[in-house]
Amino acid sequence: MVERIILIGSFFTAVATIIATAVKIYKFVRKWEIWADEQSEHSFDNYMSIMQLKIMSPYMPLSERIKAGDKYVKLGGNGEVKNKYYWLIKELEEQES
């Protein structure tokens, strides 16, 4: 009888250990996913900021500014920078005329 109780106790201890380990692994993976998502978001924000700087900089060649504007608008950029991009396109058309 004592052996059976020890066997049942061992079984439940093993199951509890497996569950605890699985929970720890799940929490680690979830934290890693959140970290990776944050890094991806920050990377996208940095990329959009660089595109904004290229578009707005009067020292960049017009072709580079328009190329950056194409990418910026394609990725959903909006606001004053988008208006500047459209103004640059008009300026290029006037130069080519």
Side-chain angles (χ1 to χ4, degrees):
M1 185 69 169
V2 173
E3 292 175 3
R4 189 169 254 180
I5 292 172
I6 292 173
L7 181 65
I8 292 171
S10 299
F11 173 76
F12 283 119
T13 302
V15 169
T17 303
I18 291 169
I19 290 173
T21 303
V23 167
K24 285 182 181 180
I25 290 171
Y26 172 78
K27 286 182 179 179
F28 174 78
V29 169
R30 189 68 190 125
K31 283 182 182 178
W32 183 267
E33 283 180 336
I34 291 170
W35 179 83
D37 289 343
E38 287 175 355
Q39 295 306 312
S40 177
E41 185 178 328
H42 290 235
S43 178
F44 179 76
D45 290 343
N46 287 339
Y47 183 73
M48 292 297 280
S49 295
I50 290 168
M51 294 299 110
Q52 289 173 346
L53 290 172
K54 284 184 177 181
I55 295 165
M56 299 304 284
S57 174
Y59 303 108
M60 293 290 291
L62 187 58
S63 62
E64 289 296 317
R65 294 170 77 185
I66 290 176
K67 202 182 320 181
D70 291 338
K71 293 176 185 177
Y72 183 80
V73 170
K74 185 184 245 184
L75 292 173
N78 210 350
E80 292 295 320
V81 178
K82 186 176 179 179
N83 291 336
K84 180 71 169 186
Y85 163 67
Y86 289 133
W87 183 82
L88 291 172
I89 290 174
K90 288 180 185 176
E91 186 177 320
L92 180 65
E93 290 171 355
E94 289 173 5
Q95 285 182 2
E96 290 177 352
S97 297

